[in-house]
C-alpha cells in the first residue's frame, strides 16, 4: 500500500491508468473461478471445518447477485444450521438471505429471530421479517420484542441503532439545518468531505469538498465540484450491521492510498478511519480530550444544532460494534453483474463509498473515472487530513443533484 499524508503535486492522469485485471480473459477467469467455488462449496456438508469456506461462498454469492435454484438451495441449507452454533456463518447466511429475496426464507429466518441470543443475528432477522411483512407484524411488535428479549438493549450499539430505526420512521422531521453543517469547520485547518445520500441507498448520492479555508472546491467554470457517489452495500442492510450500507456520521480522513484489491483497482482511494478503528489521537488529529474513545470528543466535532441528532452518531456506534475498513474508492468490478440495479453503471460494495469507473476490457485502460476526479479535487485542498461527513438528507426516490446542495450553500 502507498500512504500519502501531504499534498502531492502529481495529479492522477486517467490516460495513464491501466490494469490487466479488467482484460476480458482475465476477468472471465476470475469470476468463473469464484462461481465454480460457490457451487462446489454448496455441495459440501456444514461443520466446524467447512464453516469458513461456506462464509466465503455465501459472501461471493451476495456480491454477484446470484439467485438460481442451486444458490437458493445452498442458502436454505445454511439457514438450517442449529441456531447460534456457528455465529459468523449464521450472520453471513442471514445477510445473504436478506440480499437475495424478500419472502422465500421467512420461516427459516423467523427461527433465528425467535431463538438467537446473538444481537447482530437478531437485528438482521428483524430487518428481514419487517421488510417481508411476515405475519403482518408492525414496527411496534419488533420494538416490544427487542425490549423484552434484551434487558440491556440500550447498552448495545447494534440494538440501540435497531431500536431507533424501528421507533423513528420519520427521522427527517427532526433533521437539523444542513446549511449549518456545511458552514461548520469541524476542526480548524482541515479538509472536510461531505457525502450526501437518500434514505433509499439505491439512488446515488453526491460528494463535495470543503477546503481548510472554508470555501468549496470548484470546477474551472466556477461551479461547485461534485461527483455522484454510491453508499449502498451488496446486502443493503443498515449501517449498524457489519458489511451493511455506509453508516451516517463522521469519519477521520488520514490520507490516500492505492489498494492491492483487484476489484477496487489502481485509482488512489481516500483513506478514512471509523471511530474505534484507530486511536483517538489519530482519529481526532491530536485534538482529543480523552485518551480512550469517548462520545464527548465526537460530539464536540459537531455544530450545536446537530449534537442531539441520533443518526449523525451512526458511525460512532457502528465503529464501537466493530465496523472498520470503510474507504472511498473506485471500482474494476464486472458491471454486467449490476445491470439490473437502479444505480448501474455504478457498483455496490461491502459498506464503502464508491465512485463510477469505466474500463476498457480490450486494452485495460481507464475510460472514465469519477474517483480520479475526486482524488484530484482532494489533492487541490493541499491538506490530506480532515473529516468525512456522511448524511442522509431525505427519503426522496431519486439521485441527489448538485442544485439541491447549491441551494443549501446560498441560504
Amino acid at each position: 500500500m502507498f500512504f500519502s499524508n501531504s499534498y502531492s503535486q502529481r495529479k492522477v492522469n486517467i490516460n495513464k491508468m491501466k490494469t490487466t485485471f479488467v482484460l476480458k480473459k482475465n476477468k472471465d477467469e476470475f469470476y468463473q473461478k469464484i462461481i465454480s467455488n460457490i457451487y462446489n462449496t454448496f455441495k459440501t456438508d456444514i461443520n466446524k471445518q467447512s464453516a469458513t469456506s461456506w462464509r466465503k461462498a455465501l459472501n461471493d454469492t451476495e456480491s454477484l447477485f446470484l439467485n438460481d435454484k442451486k444458490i437458493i438451495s445452498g442458502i436454505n441449507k445454511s439457514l438450517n444450521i442449529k441456531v447460534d452454533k456457528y455465529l459468523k456463518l449464521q450472520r453471513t447466511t442471514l445477510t445473504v438471505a436478506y440480499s437475495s429475496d424478500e419472502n422465500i426464507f421467512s420461516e427459516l429466518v423467523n427461527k433465528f429471530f425467535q431463538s438467537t441470543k446473538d444481537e447482530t443475528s437478531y437485528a438482521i432477522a428483524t430487518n428481514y421479517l419487517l421488510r417481508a411483512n411476515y405475519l403482518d407484524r408492525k414496527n411496534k411488535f419488533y420494538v416490544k420484542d427487542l425490549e423484552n428479549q434484551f434487558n440491556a438493549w440500550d447498552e448495545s450499539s447494534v440494538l440501540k441503532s435497531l431500536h431507533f430505526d424501528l421507533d423513528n420512521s420519520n427521522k427527517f422531521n427532526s433533521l437539523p439545518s444542513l446549511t449549518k453543517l456545511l458552514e461548520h469547520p469541524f476542526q480548524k485547518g482541515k479538509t472536510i468531505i461531505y457525502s450526501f445520500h437518500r434514505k433509499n441507498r439505491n439512488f446515488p448520492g453526491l460528494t463535495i469538498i470543503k477546503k481548510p479555508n472554508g470555501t468549496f472546491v470548484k470546477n474551472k467554470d466556477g461551479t461547485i465540484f461534485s461527483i455522484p457517489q454510491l453508499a449502498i452495500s451488496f446486502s443493503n442492510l443498515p449501517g449498524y450491521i457489519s458489511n451493511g450500507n455506509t453508516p451516517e456520521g463522521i469519519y477521520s480522513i488520514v490520507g490516500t492510498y492505492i489498494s492491492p484489491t483487484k476489484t477496487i483497482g489502481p485509482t488512489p482511494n481516500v483513506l478514512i478511519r471509523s471511530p474505534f478503528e484507530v486511536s483517538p489521537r489519530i482519529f481526532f488529529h491530536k485534538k482529543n480530550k480523552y485518551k480512550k474513545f469517548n462520545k464527548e470528543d465526537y460530539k464536540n466535532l459537531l455544530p450545536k444544532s446537530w449534537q442531539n441528532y441520533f443518526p449523525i452518531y451512526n458511525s460512532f456506534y457502528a465503529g464501537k460494534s466493530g465496523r472498520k475498513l470503510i474507504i472511498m474508492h473506485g471500482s474494476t468490478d464486472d458491471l454486467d453483474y449490476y445491470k439490473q440495479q437502479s444505480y448501474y453503471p455504478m457498483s455496490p460494495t461491502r459498506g464503502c463509498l464508491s465512485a463510477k469507473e469505466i474500463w476498457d476490457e480490450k486494452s485495460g485502460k481507464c475510460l472514465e473515472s469519477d474517483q480520479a476526479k475526486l482524488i484530484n479535487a482532494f489533492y487541490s485542498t493541499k491538506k490530506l487530513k480532515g473529516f468525512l461527513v456522511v448524511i442522509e438528507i431525505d427519503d426522496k426516490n431519486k439521485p441527489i443533484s448538485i442544485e439541491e446542495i447549491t441551494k443549501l450553500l446560498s441560504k
Side-chain angles (χ1 to χ4, degrees), residues 286-300:
K286 302 180 183 179
K287 301 293 184 180
N288 52 300
K289 179 179 179 181
Y290 300 94
K291 291 184 178 180
K292 294 183 178 181
F293 263 97
N294 186 292
K295 190 177 176 181
E296 283 299 307
D297 276 333
Y298 184 99
K299 179 181 179 180
N300 289 335

Side-chain angles (χ1 to χ4, degrees), residues 239-258:
Y240 52 84
I241 303 296
S242 181
N243 295 329
N245 295 338
T246 312
E248 292 182 79
I250 304 171
Y251 300 81
S252 183
I253 301 173
V254 296
T256 65
Y257 83 111
I258 295 174

Side-chain angles (χ1 to χ4, degrees), residues 3 61 92 131 143 168 179 253 260 279 327 398 407-408:
F3 293 86
T61 294
T92 300
R131 186 190 63 182
V143 169
N168 293 270
T179 301
I253 301 173
S279 70
I327 59 173
K398 62 178 182 179
K407 286 180 181 177
L408 297 171

Side-chain angles (χ1 to χ4, degrees), residues 110-350:
N110 189 54
K111 174 190 71 171
F112 291 95
F113 171 77
Q114 292 179 323
S115 304
T116 186
K117 302 302 179 184
D118 178 55
E119 297 171 356
T120 300
S121 298
Y122 179 87
I124 301 170
T126 298
N127 276 278
Y128 182 105
L129 297 172
L130 183 61
R131 186 190 63 182
N133 195 30
Y134 182 68
L135 299 180
D136 200 32
R137 295 168 178 164
K138 306 301 181 185
N139 285 45
K140 288 183 179 180
F141 168 87
Y142 292 105
V143 169
K144 185 176 181 180
D145 188 87
L146 187 158
E147 293 173 349
N148 289 337
Q149 291 290 334
F150 300 91
N151 293 329
W153 64 267
D154 58 342
E155 297 176 11
S156 160
S157 295
V158 171
L159 296 181
K160 188 180 183 77
S161 300
L162 172 62
H163 190 279
F164 177 87
D165 275 2
L166 293 171
D167 208 29
N168 293 270
S169 57
N170 296 317
K171 70 171 185 175
F172 297 114
N173 290 343
S174 59
L175 182 71
S177 167
L178 289 166
T179 301
K180 292 291 185 183
L181 192 70
L182 287 162
E183 292 174 346
H184 189 63
F186 290 84
Q187 269 186 15
K188 185 178 179 180
K190 296 295 189 297
T191 295
I192 309 298
I193 300 179
Y194 295 89
S195 191
F196 296 102
H197 296 274
R198 307 289 191 198
K199 179 180 177 62
N200 186 345
R201 298 293 183 88
N202 281 286
F203 295 95
L206 198 78
T207 295
I208 62 175
I209 303 175
K210 186 167 68 176
K211 295 185 287 186
N213 65 4
T215 64
F216 286 83
V217 175
K218 294 183 178 181
N219 300 308
K220 289 182 179 180
D221 62 3
T223 57
I224 299 293
F225 167 84
S226 67
I227 63 158
Q229 200 167 52
L230 206 58
I232 191 172
S233 67
F234 297 118
S235 69
N236 198 16
L237 277 163
Y240 52 84
I241 303 296
S242 181
N243 295 329
N245 295 338
T246 312
E248 292 182 79
I250 304 171
Y251 300 81
S252 183
I253 301 173
V254 296
T256 65
Y257 83 111
I258 295 174
S259 173
T261 304
K262 291 181 178 179
T263 52
I264 288 180
T267 315
N269 309 310
V270 179
L271 183 60
I272 62 175
R273 290 297 182 233
S274 302
F276 297 90
E277 184 177 3
V278 291
S279 70
R281 182 178 173 84
I282 293 174
F283 185 91
F284 294 103
H285 308 296
K286 302 180 183 179
K287 301 293 184 180
N288 52 300
K289 179 179 179 181
Y290 300 94
K291 291 184 178 180
K292 294 183 178 181
F293 263 97
N294 186 292
K295 190 177 176 181
E296 283 299 307
D297 276 333
Y298 184 99
K299 179 181 179 180
N300 289 335
L301 286 175
L302 293 162
K304 288 185 178 180
S305 58
W306 280 80
Q307 290 181 354
N308 294 318
Y309 183 63
F310 183 85
I312 200 68
Y313 293 91
N314 282 352
S315 63
F316 180 87
Y317 288 119
K320 190 175 182 180
S321 66
R323 286 214 67 173
K324 57 184 178 179
L325 302 178
I326 296 172
I327 59 173
M328 307 173 78
H329 63 75
S331 171
T332 56
D333 284 316
D334 187 339
L335 297 177
D336 285 346
Y337 288 102
Y338 312 122
K339 273 190 173 180
Q340 304 305 314
Q341 308 302 320
S342 60
Y343 44 74
Y344 176 85
M346 301 178 77
S347 53
T349 66
R350 296 206 178 278

Side-chain angles (χ1 to χ4, degrees), residues 364-405:
K365 293 183 178 181
C366 187
L367 303 176
E368 183 179 348
S369 175
D370 282 346
Q371 180 66 18
K373 295 175 184 176
L374 176 68
I375 289 294
N376 287 336
F378 181 45
Y379 283 160
S380 77
T381 69
K382 301 184 180 182
K383 185 67 176 180
L384 304 191
K385 286 188 177 181
F387 297 97
L388 162 70
V389 185
V390 178
I391 187 73
E392 291 178 356
I393 63 173
D394 57 37
D395 55 2
K396 295 176 182 177
N397 288 321
K398 62 178 182 179
I400 294 180
S401 67
I402 186 58
E403 288 74 21
E404 293 177 79
I405 306 305

